[in-house]
Amino acid sequence: MTTRPEQPPTLNPNMLNRRTARLAGVVLVAFMAAGAASNAWWTWTGDHTFLPDDMSVDRILDGGVTHDMSTRLADMDFSSEAARLQRGLGWLTLGDLGDRVRRGCPGWLFLGDELQVHPNGDANEKARADVVVQLQQSLAKRGIELLVAVVPDKSRIEAARLCDLHRSASLQDRLPRWVQTLEGQGVKTVDLSAALAGLGQDAYYRTDTHWTEAGAGAAARVVAEQVKRSGVPLQPPQRYRVTASPPAPRPGDLVRLAGVDWLPTSLQPPGEVVQQHTWTTEVAPAVTAPATPATPATSATSSPPAPDSADDLFGDSGLPTLALIGTSYSRTSAFVPQLSQALGVAVGNFARDGGKFGGAAQAYFKSAAWKQTPPRLIIWEMDERDLQTPLVAEDQVRF
């Protein structure tokens, strides 16, 4: 008599479903408990308020209250850490960098905001043009000139590096139309597209939203030419000593924006090695009065120049005549030092990171620098991608 070998017990599919469901439930409960504990600790230990200040019926009905609550929840430690891990896993497993950062050709990253088409974009663009025109007219009444410098989208200049990314054809006329609108209403405007396009692939960093030093320099020279044509007297003198640093890896802000900069460098999107320069201000040569023939009792010596008019009795001739307001483009890649060098004078830089269209302008016109030492010419640098975005309070620039 032969005996059959014992068969391993089979697992009933229903039993398997119950076990996996229980495991998923335990994991979910543990995750929710950890989140609740983290949120409670976040609220208890810091000066944090979960509920928004405006709890009106209108804000509740239009979803504003829930949006504010979700935004504050996202700032909590547990939520932030979970989101950070999710972004890292998304990149490592799927090559996904989220909604804000888009992958173009190999090695090239682009800001998603540049590719977005806004429903009321044309109306927003017109409203911003009206703001610029009104500001120009107000400044003209005070004898101050305005020069608008528009930075084109990286996705416009580097369109050949988009590969599978789609840039809507409706965005193609946005920049030239903006320039034409402003110039048609008497606002001096410079489009920096031609200067940047002429640099090939050297105008923008591959993993950053900003222009390279070469791109910033090309833009600075174009702006400087426009300033010189204005006829505004330029002062005070300024010059720089430029020293080159050895080529080194340069982290891109798009890698940081995608939330994967915490990964080891070898696992991040491929970086780039660049050579950057340090611009150090030097003391400008002293201005001397014309020498007079020496006499036995005296000899020619340097002395301050005589005032040109009664307006200069308090030293106004030494005040900066140029002020720059704008975005992070004016604060990166030595744009201002290169602009200052091209003009030979100091430029007051009042640009702000994240200032977008009107943030830096509003802050400047509220500052003591504007109230106490107004310039003769204001350069307003702005991004193309901000022209059609929904308007916010900061965009209503006035003084």
Side-chain angles (χ1 to χ4, degrees), residues 3 81 127:
T3 59
E81 188 65 20

Side-chain angles (χ1 to χ4, degrees), residues 4-360:
R4 294 181 180 179
E6 292 186 8
Q7 298 294 326
T10 58
L11 192 61
N12 189 308
N14 291 333
M15 184 181 298
L16 178 62
N17 290 339
R18 286 197 297 271
R19 290 183 180 180
T20 54
R22 289 172 183 171
L23 177 61
V26 170
V27 173
L28 177 61
V29 170
F31 184 84
M32 293 176 64
S38 174
N39 294 345
W41 179 257
W42 179 83
T43 305
W44 179 263
T45 57
D47 185 17
H48 306 298
T49 304
F50 175 66
L51 295 177
D53 296 331
D54 186 356
M55 294 285 291
S56 62
V57 175
D58 291 339
R59 288 275 293 161
I60 294 175
L61 293 178
D62 67 11
V65 171
T66 55
H67 176 269
D68 291 346
M69 291 169 63
S70 64
T71 300
R72 297 182 186 189
L73 281 172
D75 290 336
M76 296 180 181
D77 295 339
F78 184 80
S79 302
S80 300
E81 188 65 20
R84 188 172 75 104
L85 292 174
Q86 183 273 330
R87 287 192 291 267
L89 289 174
W91 162 248
L92 294 176
T93 59
L94 302 175
D96 178 51
L97 293 172
D99 295 332
R100 299 293 307 279
V101 180
R102 310 297 299 278
R103 297 173 63 193
C105 297
W108 284 85
L109 303 181
F110 293 87
L111 185 66
D113 294 352
E114 291 188 3
L115 307 174
Q116 184 176 358
V117 177
H118 299 278
N120 299 314
D122 291 344
N124 297 335
E125 179 184 322
K126 182 181 182 304
R128 284 187 170 86
D130 292 341
V131 170
V132 176
V133 172
Q134 291 172 10
L135 178 65
Q136 185 268 339
Q137 294 173 350
S138 298
L139 291 172
K141 293 177 181 178
R142 299 187 55 170
I144 300 172
E145 295 194 29
L146 176 67
L147 173 63
V148 173
V150 191
V151 181
D153 289 340
K154 174 182 175 180
S155 56
R156 174 186 293 276
I157 302 302
E158 303 293 354
R161 261 62 67 179
L162 290 175
C163 283
D164 294 334
L165 292 181
H166 174 67
R167 179 179 167 92
S168 173
S170 64
L171 302 178
Q172 194 60 29
D173 295 334
R174 178 170 58 186
L175 181 50
R177 182 177 62 244
W178 171 263
V179 173
Q180 184 178 10
T181 298
L182 293 187
E183 290 185 338
Q185 300 192 58
V187 180
K188 295 180 180 178
T189 310
V190 53
D191 178 1
L192 301 175
S193 297
L196 294 171
L199 297 177
Q201 298 184 27
D202 295 329
Y204 289 86
Y205 292 115
R206 290 186 290 107
T207 60
D208 200 287
T209 56
H210 298 103
W211 46 29
T212 62
E213 283 190 3
R221 290 187 290 273
V222 172
V223 173
E225 287 301 318
Q226 294 295 322
V227 171
K228 292 175 182 177
R229 292 176 187 174
S230 70
V232 171
L234 304 177
Q235 60 188 30
Q238 179 67 73
R239 66 183 184 186
Y240 291 86
R241 182 178 70 256
V242 184
T243 55
S245 302
R250 183 189 185 279
D253 67 348
L254 290 175
V255 177
R256 183 173 62 255
L257 182 62
V260 296
D261 56 319
W262 60 275
L263 292 171
T265 304
S266 59
L267 298 179
Q268 296 179 21
E272 49 196 322
V273 176
V274 300
Q275 183 179 50
Q276 296 181 296
H277 296 79
T278 300
W279 299 68
T280 306
T281 57
E282 293 184 336
V283 179
V287 179
T288 59
T292 56
T295 64
T298 62
S299 61
T301 59
S302 298
S303 61
D308 293 332
S309 67
D311 293 336
D312 191 45
L313 291 176
F314 299 100
D316 289 346
S317 64
L319 298 178
T321 55
L322 300 177
L324 172 68
I325 54 178
T327 69
S328 56
Y329 279 92
S330 293
R331 294 173 53 83
T332 56
S333 301
F335 172 72
V336 170
Q338 294 186 82
L339 175 61
S340 177
Q341 185 184 55
L343 292 170
V345 296
V347 178
N349 188 3
F350 300 94
R352 296 177 66 187
D353 293 342
K356 295 192 175 181
F357 175 77

